[in-house]
Amino acid sequence: MDKLLIEGGVPLMGEIAISGAKNAALPILCAALLSAEPLHITNLPRLNDVRTMLRLLGQMGVKIVDEGRDAVTLDASGLDNPVAPYELVRTMRASVLVLGPLVARCGEARVSLPGGCAIGARPVDQHIKGLEAMGAEISVEQGYVHARAARLRGARLFTDMVTVTGTENLMMAAVLAAGDTVIENAAREPEVVDLANCLVAMGAQISGAGSDVIRIRGVDRLYGATHRVMPDRIETGTYLCAAAATGGSVRLTGTSTSYLDAVVDKLMDTGCDIVPERDAIRLKAPPKLTAVSIRTAPYPAFPTDMQAQFMAINAVADGTAVIRETIFENRYMHAVELARLGAEIRIDGNTAVVKGVPRLNGATVMATDLRASASLVVAGLVAQGTTLVDRIYHLDRGYEQLDRKLAALGARVRRTK
Ligand code: EPU
């Protein structure tokens, strides 16, 4: 299993390009299922989760043409096997995003129920409730959700909590339904808006994406289109944190602060100087960071996907920070690993209290999920001595060429077996 070896203590300096957003790319790949004409996608990040999604779509009968670099064309005219098997769903929960488009286009889908995962139970009851309200008949048999509907009907949908992939799944189902659908309590995440933009380019009629009420007028068919995936705001935030923690100065290109207000705000509170440019961000860290408290919540509030990285920077900041995680019930797995590097963290339910220490020391730590791993890398970059981050396949799911990008910023990192 690959590991990342980090010699810490080098301030990150220089410039790197940010990739397309994983969490926008995954639903957008699924949008290809909705049309019999080709969908051309650019700025696609080359990540393990993207490869898994392409495998899943391929075994359903979608023709995939890899255009090299960051582009792919998907042709779902031959879609003939609307099934998402356990083996693939198990490795990537976002596979559930095929459910809505498959029922809408094929009238049927069999999708393995994702189990719990490292960060929480993560049920998909809201996806199912929404599809049922649109007239789908749904049964759960042998661990698979089996959904059927000759044609989905538009409906008024209300989700019990804000759910990102739930909103995306229902929006994709509704674009081909008969009549109008209203999704209330919709997720406002920028990735939802990016998906909506792609669907609109394919001929869907959607308004309100980015607000908590999305209105969709169903159409009979969607067409071919070209779509460029938005920049990855979490990858951006992660490199900003790495630069901040190491006292560095970086410029990130192909990205913007527009979707990162909550994160940028907090980084400025730590003492960082941040300058937004057109399609780029500059950050210069102070000699010593000031601790900042955060509370995760749905967009536009502070993202849960940046919580772990902020725990790492607070571990070496001046003062004490209180972190509240309100989205997932088990998203502090990194805390015990950070403690192995010398961090002082106390966890009580969904609250973590992080008391900054003068220095961290390298150790072997284990990655448990994608963002937890990112926080260990940030901590490893600032720790004195050598940190070995084990199980970095988690990182490869969501950070394109992490080791190369860090090396380009001067970090001493190396992949080992
Ligand atoms: N929830 C339910 N029932 C549902 C759906 C959600 O109880 O039917 C709960 C979840 O268990 C959770 C909360 O609602 O407690 C919010 O979950 P949400 O559905 O919004 O999460 P998700 O759509 O499964 C996406 C991202 C995650 C990100 C969350 C929150 C993708 C592919 N994944 O997950 O990204 O943390 O939204 O912003 O978009 C990551 O990239 O590392 C990652 C985990």
Side-chain angles (χ1 to χ4, degrees), residues 22-23 26 94 97 119 121-127 161-166 168 189 304-305 327-329 331 370-371:
K22 167 180 82 81
N23 289 348
L26 295 174
L97 282 164
I119 61 177
R122 303 181 77 183
V124 291
D125 54 307
Q126 301 301 310
H127 305 228
M161 76 290 294
V162 176
T163 156
V164 178
T165 50
E168 292 164 347
E189 267 66 4
T304 173
D305 289 344
I327 307 289
F328 293 110
E329 66 274 18
R331 211 173 194 184
L370 173 57
R371 308 305 172 185

Side-chain angles (χ1 to χ4, degrees), residues 77 108-109 114 118 150 170 209 211 263 265 267 275-276 326 329 354 362 378 389 398:
S77 55
E108 179 163 25
L170 297 175
S211 79
V263 170
D265 233 49
L267 282 170
V275 182
T326 77
E329 66 274 18
V354 187
V378 171
V389 183

